[in-house]
Amino acid sequence: MEQLNVGVKVEGQEEIHKVITLQEGEYLKKVTPTNLQYLRNKQEAEEWVQANGGSFIWSIYRKAVHMKASGTQLTNQDFARLLYIATYITHMKFGNKLVYDNGTPIDKKGLQKLLGISKPAFSTFYKKLESESIIFDMSDHIVLNEEWFRKGTINADELSKNGLSFARTLIKPIRALYEEFGKTRAVGNLGLLYVALPFISFETNALVSDPTEENVSAITPLNLEQVAELFGYTPDRITQALRKVKLNGEYVFGFMLVGNNKTVYINPRIYWQANRKPDKSLLLAFRTN
């Protein structure tokens, strides 16, 4: 890891910017205001993540493809539980194992207790994960498939070649949400966070039909009827259902109304993909007062 004090000329005067931290393998071919801004934004994003929970995992998915398109048997409740247990994976170099925060491997009995569900419900859930090759029982430990979740450095180009994308998923808020809603009837609403992943705009955190579009002005947000269909609700119930999910005095799903069009956004304190910190105007969409 290398730190640089970089100066650029601005109207004939040298402006010294704050220290830029380069991760291993990252370098600047040429010092320009553009790539300096990129690194500055990237570092601000990392600082923002640290200030909002710190540790995170990568949720892996296919853009603009419904989670249930492959014929999965997983329900919204199952997706909520899967997202929760994924926050216990180790770094990939340690095998993507499920471990407690102290490093002790989690076995099936411990996993059931962690989820807080009955033995029959756990057995059904676990068998679904095994049948879809999401989870593997290695007798003395349990492993999650890296095609679903990872922790540590990822190769974005490699994932892209395989048609996969990824989202930085903050561990602390996911656990807090599950601990509040995981043992209630609202657990399925938490699962909607995972179902929403393929349709989150990288640039805006809005639910859109074309999440690969980089030009913000060309992005097409999903309307409320489309969001309701995506989540398996009727249009008249979707807003109420999403408003029920709150964390630390903020909505997890936010709404912005422009004219007669209501756009749904995901709170960046849960998922944040961009290499910059979220705009303050976006964060305002999730305030409950």
Side-chain angles (χ1 to χ4, degrees), residues 9 53 74 126 185 224 244 253 289:
K9 294 287 184 177
L74 298 183
Y126 196 89
R185 292 182 178 180
L224 210 55
K244 288 180 179 178
F253 297 91
N289 51 36

Side-chain angles (χ1 to χ4, degrees), residues 6-17 33:
V6 185
V8 295
K9 294 287 184 177
V10 179
E11 295 182 354
Q13 297 182 346
E14 185 173 315
E15 179 181 310
I16 303 297
H17 295 283

